[in-house]
Amino acid sequence: MPQEQSLDPEDWDAFRAEAHAALDQAISHLQHRSDAPVWRQTPLAVREALQESLPLTGTDPEALIARICQDFLPHDIGNTHPRFYGWVHGSGTADAIIPEIFATVMNANLGGRDHVANLVEQQVIQWCREMMEFPGSAGGLVVSGTSMATILAVKSAREKAGGIDLRQSGLTGACQMVGYASVEAHSCIARAFDMSGLGKAALRAIPSDADFRMDIAALEAAIADDLAAGLQPFCLIGTAGSVNVGAIDPLDRLADIAARTGMWFHVDGAFGAMGMLSPAIKPLLAGIERADSLAFDFHKWMHVTYDAGFVLVRQAEDLRHAFSERPAYLAGAERGLAAGNPWLCEYGPELSRGFRALKIWYHMARFGLTRIGEKVADNCAQAQHLAALLRDHQALALLAPVALNIVCFRFDPGSMDDAALDVLNGEIVVALQERGLAAPSTTRIRGKLAIRVNLTNHRTRRTDLDALVADALRIGGEIVQG
Ligand SMILES: *Cc1c(COP(=O)(O)O)cnc(C)c1O
């Protein structure tokens, strides 16, 4: 090796050919993804090969690319397949390849300074404000996902309520602050309480009603109890699209209660907030625009590739007060590269920040919000289609009302008790996955194990759901027959 040899290609033409070939293989993978099983377990040989010791010398790209194509691509989670329905996964797009390439060559750090990438993120922030109908004072930050967005929101709420400088003093003595979310709320909220030093016990789990929405009377009673005990209710959290069944809390009423009691109103809209893009779904979310903060994902129902989420805060300054640190080596300037203030790093805990904003900006501009909203509405209509199919079969029982895009059901041939049905339905889900036919997940609905179908997949068609019902019935029958 010559002295001072950089890590760039020695032969750019050869590199170009390799990169073009890799791109072709990547595109072919996605083009034909639906011909392959939804999921295949990673074989032992591949697992073992991923336990090699540290590579001290390099490898040819050809060999590495071949390994990615042969060993990695076929053993993905399956969320780019039309029959993937598990958890809440976005399905991505082929177009996303393009901004990812450009983000890589720019290798931008969006912590701060005066360069165009930050302006792209500012554009995304502005679009989020418009999309969720927040006022001009609102701001936010692109983050890894809703879990991180929730931590930022709860920390902002904590600082706002603290009255004293909690960032400096920490939570000294017995913390009096308490918050409220429904029992159906995602676990990331309790974790945000944990990570903000408030403790998970400071988050009250309010019972839900028959439709899995927060019970307002129970909420009012819990607040009254806490006030009587001398505690400080500081944060009320509504869910717009619960992870179990897609339920939407009565957001307008929660906003009223938060306003009346002086609490910060946060909404977890991880996937459900995308309903704002569909004129048919939007009325269900009334009140979301009144939130002090809203957490949502681009990587779920908007189909931006992982990972990409957002925290939108009604008063951008509240977010900045919760995080800004500008020591001498990060001082701003009027001119030159250190201008462009305030820096994005002041709105969150991370200083170095990648160019996630590019793929988000590209996706929104490429497809337009109308089309993305139409896909949201399509999925909701497909969920109703599936629910109707289930009602046609005596051996299939719907376990929760279908509010949005999630259908929970189980195979129940009669004459089996709940414990046996739990085992049976768990086995049906594993069989669907292992045979590569479909990938639903499971959850518990009022104690019963459910086959859970989440539709945040722009590739799914009604015929895929018809096949799912037929497969579940067939496999259920096979297992019962033994
Ligand atoms: C997925 C999800 C989360 C967590 O979001 P991540 O992007 O996975 O961090 C929180 N709340 C709800 C309702 C979700 O569906």
Side-chain angles (χ1 to χ4, degrees):
M1 281 276 164
Q3 285 280 305
E4 302 195 318
Q5 176 77 41
S6 82
L7 297 176
D8 283 333
E10 276 169 75
D11 180 346
W12 281 93
D13 288 335
F15 173 72
R16 191 182 298 273
E18 270 154 12
H20 284 183
L23 178 61
D24 274 338
Q25 300 201 65
I27 293 172
S28 296
H29 166 76
L30 206 52
Q31 185 183 1
H32 302 294
R33 182 64 188 86
S34 63
D35 301 337
V38 178
W39 180 74
R40 279 176 281 200
Q41 202 193 13
T42 308
L44 193 60
V46 175
R47 290 170 188 270
E48 283 174 356
L50 285 169
Q51 293 167 20
E52 280 165 7
S53 56
L54 195 61
L56 295 179
T57 55
T59 307
D60 282 342
E62 244 170 66
L64 293 174
I65 293 166
R67 195 162 159 212
I68 291 172
C69 291
Q70 284 155 30
D71 290 358
F72 301 174
L73 292 188
H75 307 114
D76 61 355
I77 189 168
N79 56 321
T80 56
H81 192 289
R83 295 187 177 183
F84 187 94
Y85 317 116
W87 302 275
V88 186
H89 276 58
S91 35
T93 64
D95 283 83
I97 294 171
I98 292 165
E100 293 282 49
I101 289 173
F102 289 115
T104 298
V105 297
M106 286 178 79
N107 191 24
N109 178 351
L110 281 75
R113 294 156 284 265
D114 191 1
H115 57 109
V116 73
N118 293 327
L119 302 179
V120 175
E121 183 155 337
Q122 295 291 358
Q123 171 75 92
V124 167
I125 294 168
Q126 181 201 322
W127 285 348
C128 290
R129 196 158 54 213
E130 289 180 34
M131 200 161 71
M132 299 301 163
E133 302 185 351
F134 270 51
S137 59
L141 197 68
V142 170
V143 292
S144 53
T146 292
S147 300
M148 182 58 88
T150 304
I151 293 167
L152 271 56
V154 169
K155 173 92 160 49
S156 302
R158 190 194 87 158
E159 256 53 87
K160 183 85 168 182
I164 51 162
D165 186 2
L166 293 179
R167 292 187 62 191
Q168 184 61 30
S169 62
L171 289 170
T172 48
C175 174
Q176 304 292 299
M177 288 188 209
V178 285
Y180 308 85
S182 128
V183 282
E184 293 293 317
H186 194 276
S187 60
C188 74
I189 295 165
R191 189 165 46 221
F193 271 62
D194 165 14
M195 292 186 70
S196 324
L198 299 161
K200 292 198 248 182
L203 178 65
R204 309 293 193 231
I206 307 300
S208 61
D209 64 16
D211 291 330
F212 300 85
R213 296 151 49 99
M214 196 193 292
D215 181 328
I216 296 292
L219 170 66
E220 301 263 28
I223 296 170
D225 284 353
D226 285 333
L227 285 172
L231 301 177
Q232 183 191 356
F234 86 107
C235 186
L236 175 55
I237 295 140
T239 297
S242 68
V243 63
N244 266 339
V245 302
I248 302 166
D249 284 336
L251 303 177
D252 247 333
R253 296 192 65 191
L254 297 188
D256 290 341
I257 293 170
R260 200 184 70 225
T261 53
M263 278 193 274
W264 178 285
F265 179 38
H266 173 73
V267 174
D268 177 354
F271 61 95
M274 289 304 133
M276 289 297 275
L277 305 178
S278 159
I281 311 296
K282 192 178 148 190
L284 302 175
L285 299 169
I288 200 171
E289 75 290 347
R290 297 171 65 192
D292 291 299
S293 56
L294 170 62
F296 63 90
D297 282 319
F298 300 104
H299 58 215
K300 286 177 175 168
W301 225 355
M302 205 188 245
H303 310 296
V304 172
T305 43
Y306 283 91
D307 47 14
F310 197 77
V311 60
L312 181 61
V313 179
R314 177 164 228 85
Q315 304 294 339
E317 284 306 287
D318 288 341
L319 185 57
R320 193 154 80 96
H321 286 147
F323 290 99
S324 181
E325 295 286 356
R326 296 294 296 268
Y329 46 85
L330 296 175
E334 288 292 315
R335 293 163 40 224
L337 202 40
N341 289 284
W343 288 6
L344 287 165
C345 66
E346 293 180 71
Y347 296 89
E350 293 175 315
L351 175 56
S352 293
R353 307 180 58 253
F355 202 0
R356 290 188 183 107
L358 186 63
K359 64 187 177 185
I360 301 164
W361 171 84
Y362 189 91
H363 183 86
M364 290 168 92
R366 165 73 185 86
F367 293 104
L369 281 302
T370 303
R371 182 147 172 225
I372 297 168
E374 283 165 5
K375 298 310 300 180
V376 167
D378 274 358
N379 282 149
C380 293
Q382 289 166 344
Q384 295 300 339
H385 170 79
L386 176 57
L389 285 180
L390 297 170
R391 288 190 197 99
D392 283 348
H393 291 280
Q394 196 146 37
L396 296 172
L398 204 54
L399 294 186
V402 178
L404 214 53
N405 61 323
I406 297 175
V407 182
C408 289
F409 69 99
R410 69 174 175 178
F411 178 67
D412 180 356
S415 77
M416 287 172 78
D417 65 17
D418 272 343
L421 285 173
D422 289 352
V423 174
L424 170 61
N425 281 277
E427 282 182 24
I428 293 172
V429 168
V430 171
L432 285 165
Q433 295 169 354
E434 286 185 338
R435 297 184 199 184
L437 296 171
S441 57
T442 63
T443 189
R444 294 225 172 230
I445 303 295
R446 307 220 191 279
K448 295 176 177 174
L449 189 123
I451 301 176
R452 181 175 162 289
V453 175
N454 164 78
L455 297 166
T456 47
N457 190 331
H458 63 85
R459 300 186 177 100
T460 302
R461 297 182 169 200
R462 281 175 175 70
T463 48
D464 294 311
L465 299 171
D466 299 345
L468 172 69
V469 168
D471 288 339
L473 281 169
R474 194 185 67 252
I475 292 172
E478 280 170 25
I479 298 173
V480 171
Q481 303 286 297

